Amino acid sequence: MYSTSGAGPKEVASASTPSADDALFRRISWRLLPLLFLAYFINYLDRTNIGYAQLQMQETLKFADTVFGLGATVLFLGYVLFEIPSNVLLTRIGAKRTLVRIMILWGLASAATAFVTTPTQFYVARFFLGMFEAGLVPGALYYLTLWYPLERRGRANAIFLMGAGFAPILSGPIAAGVMTWLHGRGGLDGWQWLFALESLPAFALAAVTLLRFDDNPGKARWLTPEEKSHVQALAQSGNEGRDAGHLGTALRQPRAWGFGLVCFLTVLGIYALAFWQPTLLKSMGLSLIQIGLVSSLPAIAGATASFWMASHSDKRRERRGHFTVAALVGAAGLTTAALLQQHLLIAMVGLVFAGAGLASALTLVWASVGEVLPREGLAASIALITTCSNCSGLVGPLLVAAIRQATGGFGWSLIILSGALLLACVAMQVILWPSKRISSPMSVPARHL
């Protein structure tokens, strides 16, 4: 039982036992987190499947590389422009209706991409996809603050954000299978089937969200009145006056801008490879099925390496040296793939090392943010860093497309991305200087893009 009569947040929290709280939040997690994980997983697939679809779209629609690069860019333009308006709307209509609206509209935009025939139609479809999906990540993270106290919120956020980390592992095999086995069926090309079929899970998730989600604990019919009050009290405790605004403080923090630069330079390579790696592999002579299978290897390496590096960094209580190793490994991998593209096996080893280094580096950046920046204005600082990170999506894919069209290959673009990682390495040394030891490890998931 939870005694709530006349009790404030602290009193309510103390009236329960740790084991009872663990059981309660276990129920909440099983109710909320699997669907949120799947939502981000499907969202990442729909955002990046253009990297595989373009392998056939170029043959049927005759789009130039710059068309696909600009298409990737306008998606992030819609994302950046409508992220804040989406969250404002969330506060007015509630989290459940906001998430349902996002899922239905992004599913429609993804499905509509299957029927584009001109570059303009392609740009419009991509822009609307970015606009509609813009509120998913901040909306879900805000939603979790309504349910979880501070000491449990990090783990809940991590499970949600892991959806985007697992998506690249399966996106290649799924895309290759659909585009190969359904090509020509029903008068549609394989890339059209890809957009159409990968939009369906968004509608299914919207239906499940409508049935199973509640705007806040107070509206959860599967909780007792005592549990509702207890969860709300715990979720609110510790939030009073915490980082309320302080945007001016964040803007005056040189290290916040420094972390933003490091994230931009690191994510530049992540998004560039996400959209162009399939085309790069095709240029090495791989078939569609081979591309789908092989493209999973860098993602698997990234997930494995980032987990190991974060754990080792926590254990050693050190960030700067670990980031240096990760960035150098990623840069070496990109350079190897650039210089030895004609040697398939060596180039693939390079891409695997690039995936491991990029993912690990980004994990270590976010692990350092909460340890280096002051608590005042930390939320605003994180928002600033995230915005800088997302801006890499406006640059990376289009940069690779322009360089490939000008040079006829991917070599120079990979070299430039390698240089960006080295520059990030230098910036990270400055940000963390002179202290490289940390006082309280705080691992934060890497895949918030």
Side-chain angles (χ1 to χ4, degrees), residues 24-35 148 212:
L24 175 61
F25 282 101
R26 194 177 302 117
R27 286 172 54 206
I28 293 173
S29 295
W30 278 110
R31 180 91 180 190
L32 305 180
L33 296 182
L35 194 145
Y148 291 92
R212 290 185 60 84

Side-chain angles (χ1 to χ4, degrees), residues 146-393:
L146 304 179
W147 292 84
Y148 291 92
L150 289 172
E151 64 271 16
R152 297 179 184 268
R153 199 174 299 161
R155 285 168 287 180
N157 290 347
I159 293 173
F160 163 63
L161 296 172
M162 280 170 59
F166 277 87
I169 298 175
L170 298 179
S171 60
I174 293 174
V178 170
M179 293 170 62
T180 299
W181 297 321
L182 295 181
H183 185 63
R185 300 288 180 89
L188 298 177
D189 292 330
W191 64 269
Q192 293 177 296
W193 279 111
L194 180 65
F195 286 122
L197 292 179
E198 289 196 343
S199 69
L200 297 180
F203 301 123
L205 288 170
V208 176
T209 300
L210 192 62
L211 293 173
R212 290 185 60 84
F213 269 37
D214 303 281
D215 280 329
N216 54 63
K219 296 183 178 181
R221 290 176 292 180
W222 46 278
L223 294 176
T224 67
E226 293 81 4
E227 289 172 336
K228 294 177 184 179
S229 299
H230 184 62
V231 171
Q232 288 179 312
L234 288 178
Q236 293 170 4
S237 65
N239 284 338
E240 299 84 356
R242 180 184 175 88
D243 295 324
H246 300 297
L247 179 59
T249 301
L251 294 176
R252 292 191 298 270
Q253 286 290 332
R255 284 184 169 178
W257 287 102
F259 279 124
L261 174 63
V262 172
C263 277
F264 175 86
L265 294 170
T266 305
V267 179
L268 197 68
I270 291 175
Y271 274 132
L273 288 181
F275 286 103
W276 286 105
Q277 183 175 265
T279 304
L280 172 61
L281 295 175
K282 184 178 181 180
S283 70
M284 296 179 184
L286 297 182
S287 67
L288 185 56
I289 290 293
Q290 290 172 330
I291 291 171
L293 295 175
V294 169
S295 62
S296 298
L297 298 179
I300 294 172
T304 304
S306 60
F307 177 81
W308 185 88
M309 286 288 282
S311 300
H312 192 264
S313 178
D314 281 350
K315 183 178 179 180
R316 298 294 297 271
R317 306 175 68 80
E318 196 275 342
R319 303 294 188 208
R320 184 153 52 96
H322 283 77
F323 181 88
T324 300
V325 172
L328 292 179
V329 167
L334 289 170
T335 302
T336 300
L339 299 179
L340 299 172
Q341 293 181 58
Q342 67 276 22
H343 302 288
L344 177 60
L345 181 59
I346 299 177
M348 274 309 308
V349 171
L351 289 176
V352 167
F353 275 93
L358 286 164
S360 300
L362 192 58
T363 299
L364 293 164
V365 174
W366 283 112
S368 304
V369 168
E371 300 157 354
V372 172
L373 297 181
R375 301 306 300 174
E376 182 185 9
L378 179 60
S381 296
I382 291 175
L384 172 64
I385 296 167
T386 302
T387 300
C388 293
S389 177
N390 285 331
C391 284
S392 63

Side-chain angles (χ1 to χ4, degrees), residues 89-155:
L89 184 61
L90 181 149
T91 62
R92 295 179 179 178
I93 69 173
K96 179 168 73 171
R97 284 192 286 178
T98 295
L99 292 175
V100 170
R101 183 260 305 169
I102 288 172
M103 293 170 184
I104 291 176
L105 292 180
W106 113 49
L108 290 173
S110 179
T113 311
F115 303 100
V116 302
T117 58
T118 67
T120 300
Q121 293 173 353
F122 177 61
Y123 300 148
V124 171
R126 296 295 290 178
F127 178 82
F128 276 105
L129 179 61
M131 180 179 73
F132 292 146
E133 71 175 17
L136 176 66
V137 173
L141 293 175
Y142 169 78
Y143 183 70
L144 292 175
T145 67
L146 304 179
W147 292 84
Y148 291 92
L150 289 172
E151 64 271 16
R152 297 179 184 268
R153 199 174 299 161
R155 285 168 287 180

Side-chain angles (χ1 to χ4, degrees), residues 16-68:
S16 64
T17 64
S19 59
D21 281 355
D22 289 343
L24 175 61
F25 282 101
R26 194 177 302 117
R27 286 172 54 206
I28 293 173
S29 295
W30 278 110
R31 180 91 180 190
L32 305 180
L33 296 182
L35 194 145
L36 290 176
F37 173 92
L38 287 174
Y40 203 15
F41 179 91
I42 298 300
N43 176 261
Y44 194 87
L45 289 184
D46 288 348
R47 184 190 304 184
T48 60
N49 57 13
I50 186 63
Y52 297 95
Q54 67 175 302
L55 299 178
Q56 290 182 346
M57 292 177 74
Q58 284 185 313
E59 299 174 3
T60 58
L61 301 181
K62 309 302 181 184
F63 287 175
D65 288 338
T66 50
V67 172
F68 291 104

